[in-house]
Amino acid sequence: MKYKKFISIITAAMLLATGCSGLPKERKSQTYTDTLFDTVISVQILDSVDEDVLKGCETLCKKYDAMFSRTNEDSDISRINQAGGAPVEVSDETVKLIKKGIYYSEMSGGAFDITIAPVVNLWDFQAEEPSPPSQEDAAAAASHVSYKSIVISDNKVSLSDPEAGIDLGAVAKGYIADRLKDYLEEQGVKHALINLGGNVLAIGTKLDGTDYNIGIQKPFDESGNPIASVRIADQSVVTSGIYQRYFKKDGTIYHHILDPRTGYPCDNHLYSVTIITDSSLTADALSTTCFLLGYDRGMKLIDQLDNVDAVFITDDNEIHYSRNFQK
């Protein structure tokens, strides 16, 4: 997916968050924007704060990008993946996030799996002329996907299968958004909007006390126009959709939500899953988990959880809401 599409999503979310009239003219929001986590990110603070607060956001984001990245050779995750099965000492936060990933992998029965790196490594969605790997290569890579191969002892992490590999892409942005919220609240911020490439977390309400109104993008709409919207205050909205990063080859769409059992994009008649809940990490993990589970199993899971809402969009462009949606 091209960055311009990410920017349009962010712009739409910000317009909906602040209202069409924007902020009052006498106040200027303070915003940190960057390109990290393989996407465009934005932290918009509506309160008046020192510039150091924005610098603190930048420091945190770059710290976590260096810590959790699968492609940064010096990151905790890369060092684990490259260790050939040997134990690697990593940070407390890396261990915490890996354990969260294992939790959701177990919850889904392996439909979601954070050791999907061997499969992800076969796909390059940003290549000039991307193409799918062979079915044989994908199956071979998928044979090394199993969260059960992760071994944790205190701060040391190893992989019992040396050809396995961890990818925290489905949970990292949610975790980072939650940490940004903690930091901003410690700095006295009461009104802000964090957007990590479509992973949106609201701190408080808008300045006038009303809820943020966050758009859910219409699938495959290049303009980023919303197909629906949700109202939130002190909550997170995260969408996993096949239109966020994909390419077409010989008339077939290949998207980035890969099935760990086949090594190929998940094919279950879903366009997207949006989760609304208090924790951005929970929303991040559940959006991917429910997508991989499919509509029936995914919606059943959501309806069993407290304080979690969901919007599923199927490939007939029908919108489906969870049982207690925004009750």
Side-chain angles (χ1 to χ4, degrees):
M1 180 180 178
K2 302 302 184 184
Y3 285 140
K4 66 180 181 181
K5 192 182 290 186
F6 278 123
I7 293 169
S8 69
I9 296 170
I10 290 173
T11 302
M14 294 302 183
L15 286 173
L16 284 164
T18 58
C20 292
S21 61
L23 295 169
K25 290 183 180 180
E26 65 271 15
R27 297 183 67 105
K28 287 188 177 180
S29 67
Q30 298 172 81
T31 304
Y32 159 62
T33 59
D34 212 333
T35 302
L36 293 170
F37 323 127
D38 199 26
T39 186
V40 176
I41 68 170
S42 177
V43 180
Q44 182 186 33
I45 302 172
L46 306 185
D47 303 303
S48 295
V49 294
D50 292 336
E51 190 175 332
D52 287 347
V53 175
L54 285 177
K55 290 297 294 181
C57 292
E58 179 181 4
T59 299
L60 272 178
C61 288
K62 289 184 176 178
K63 163 192 166 183
Y64 288 125
D65 186 49
M67 188 182 293
F68 300 144
S69 170
R70 174 182 56 86
T71 56
N72 183 333
E73 292 184 359
D74 297 323
S75 73
D76 284 354
I77 299 306
S78 288
R79 290 190 298 111
I80 295 168
N81 292 347
Q82 295 168 7
V88 175
E89 189 167 350
V90 297
S91 70
D92 290 344
E93 289 187 281
T94 299
V95 171
K96 181 179 180 179
L97 190 52
I98 290 174
K99 286 181 176 179
K100 282 289 187 180
I102 293 172
Y103 170 79
Y104 286 102
S105 300
E106 290 176 339
M107 174 190 283
S108 69
F112 169 86
D113 196 309
I114 61 166
T115 59
I116 198 169
V119 168
V120 174
N121 290 337
L122 293 178
W123 295 83
D124 185 356
F125 291 91
Q126 295 180 346
E128 276 194 28
E129 295 184 11
S131 61
S134 68
Q135 296 278 358
E136 293 77 15
D137 287 347
S143 71
H144 297 289
V145 177
S146 174
Y147 64 92
K148 296 178 181 178
S149 67
I150 302 174
V151 181
I152 300 175
S153 177
D154 296 324
N155 277 59
K156 292 184 178 179
V157 181
S158 61
L159 296 166
S160 59
D161 176 0
E163 295 188 58
I166 297 172
D167 186 327
L168 297 178
V171 291
K173 287 193 296 182
Y175 178 85
I176 296 164
D178 287 336
R179 300 293 73 76
L180 283 167
K181 178 181 179 180
D182 291 343
Y183 164 73
L184 289 172
E185 289 184 334
E186 289 170 2
Q187 303 304 311
V189 173
K190 297 180 180 179
H191 308 275
L193 197 68
I194 300 165
N195 192 323
L196 305 184
N199 184 320
V200 178
L201 188 154
I203 296 177
T205 63
K206 293 189 289 183
L207 288 174
D208 62 5
T210 59
D211 291 347
Y212 295 92
N213 194 25
I214 307 299
I216 299 173
Q217 187 183 343
K218 183 178 181 180
F220 299 105
D221 187 311
E222 291 288 338
S223 68
N225 289 330
I227 193 172
S229 65
V230 295
R231 294 187 177 277
I232 62 169
D234 267 325
Q235 284 187 304
S236 185
V237 179
V238 180
T239 298
S240 290
I242 69 171
Y243 54 84
Q244 293 173 331
R245 186 171 300 159
Y246 68 93
F247 63 86
K248 283 186 178 181
K249 186 78 172 181
D250 299 326
T252 299
I253 291 177
Y254 297 92
H255 61 81
H256 78 293
I257 305 178
L258 303 172
D259 189 331
R261 295 159 293 193
T262 66
Y264 258 59
C266 183
D267 183 12
N268 58 11
H269 303 292
L270 282 175
Y271 274 164
S272 69
V273 175
T274 298
I275 302 294
I276 306 98
T277 191
D278 294 342
S279 162
S280 194
L281 170 58
T282 300
D284 203 2
L286 283 177
S287 67
T288 306
T289 297
C290 290
F291 191 102
L292 289 163
L293 286 172
Y295 173 71
D296 291 329
R297 294 171 64 199
M299 190 65 86
K300 182 178 179 181
L301 171 62
I302 295 301
D303 285 338
Q304 293 173 344
L305 300 175
D306 293 329
N307 194 34
V308 179
D309 292 330
V311 182
F312 287 65
I313 301 179
T314 45
D315 62 5
D316 56 2
N317 278 313
E318 288 293 316
I319 304 174
H320 309 266
Y321 298 93
S322 54
R323 181 182 303 159
N324 296 315
F325 180 78
Q326 303 237 306
K327 189 172 182 180

